[in-house]
Amino acid sequence: MYIAYLATCILCSDFYVEKCSRKRKERVIEYRSEIRRKVETNALFKHILDKGIAHRFKFRVIKVVQESIRGGDVNNKLENAEFAWILELNADKTPGLNGALSLKLVLQKKQMILY
C-alpha cells in the first residue's frame, strides 16, 4: 500500500506529512520505536524533545496511491502526492514539522508548470 499520511500532535497544532510504501500501522510502530531509541533524525522525536513527553501524535491517511495495472513509477506518484500535501498544508513552515522541501521535487514542479 502506498500512502501519504498526516501526523498531528494531540496537544498543539504541530503536524508532519510523510509518504510510506508500507501499511500505516507498520510505520506508526516504527515511529514509536524510533522515539524510544531517541533517533534524532525523526521529526516527531525532535518535537517531543522540544515540547515535552506529553506530546503525542495521531496518524491519518490523506492520500492513497494505487499501482496502475499498466505499471508506471508508483514511487514517483507517491513522492508527488507527498509534495503536493506539504505545499497544500504549508508543512515546511511552522507549525509544520517537515522542514525544507526537496529541491528535486520543487524543480520538477516548476518544469511541469513551464511546459
Side-chain angles (χ1 to χ4, degrees):
M1 173 179 279
Y2 300 91
I3 60 171
Y5 63 87
L6 177 65
T8 308
C9 181
I10 60 173
L11 291 182
C12 65
S13 60
D14 292 2
F15 63 93
Y16 183 69
V17 175
E18 189 177 54
K19 63 181 170 44
C20 183
S21 59
R22 297 181 305 282
K23 292 180 181 175
R24 179 184 65 110
K25 183 178 179 181
E26 292 173 9
R27 184 61 181 127
V28 171
I29 290 169
E30 189 175 285
Y31 264 120
R32 288 181 181 153
S33 173
E34 290 174 355
I35 289 167
R36 276 194 306 274
R37 291 179 315 180
K38 300 177 179 171
V39 176
E40 293 186 16
T41 56
N42 182 305
L44 305 186
F45 170 72
K46 287 180 187 176
H47 175 78
I48 292 168
L49 191 63
D50 291 343
K51 302 280 179 131
I53 195 88
H55 287 253
R56 298 282 182 245
F57 289 84
K58 65 180 180 179
F59 293 80
R60 181 174 56 139
V61 174
I62 53 177
K63 178 72 176 177
V64 177
V65 176
Q66 301 289 340
E67 286 187 79
S68 170
I69 58 172
R70 301 175 90 189
D73 187 356
V74 72
N75 288 322
N76 190 42
K77 289 178 187 175
L78 184 59
E79 214 170 61
N80 286 335
E82 176 194 36
F83 181 74
W85 276 102
I86 289 171
L87 289 179
E88 176 78 21
L89 299 173
N90 289 318
D92 58 322
K93 299 171 184 69
T94 303
L97 300 171
N98 282 81
L101 292 172
S102 162
L103 182 59
K104 172 188 162 194
L105 289 173
V106 171
L107 292 175
Q108 284 176 346
K109 284 283 184 196
K110 286 189 181 280
Q111 187 177 21
M112 288 192 306
I113 293 169
L114 293 175
Y115 290 107

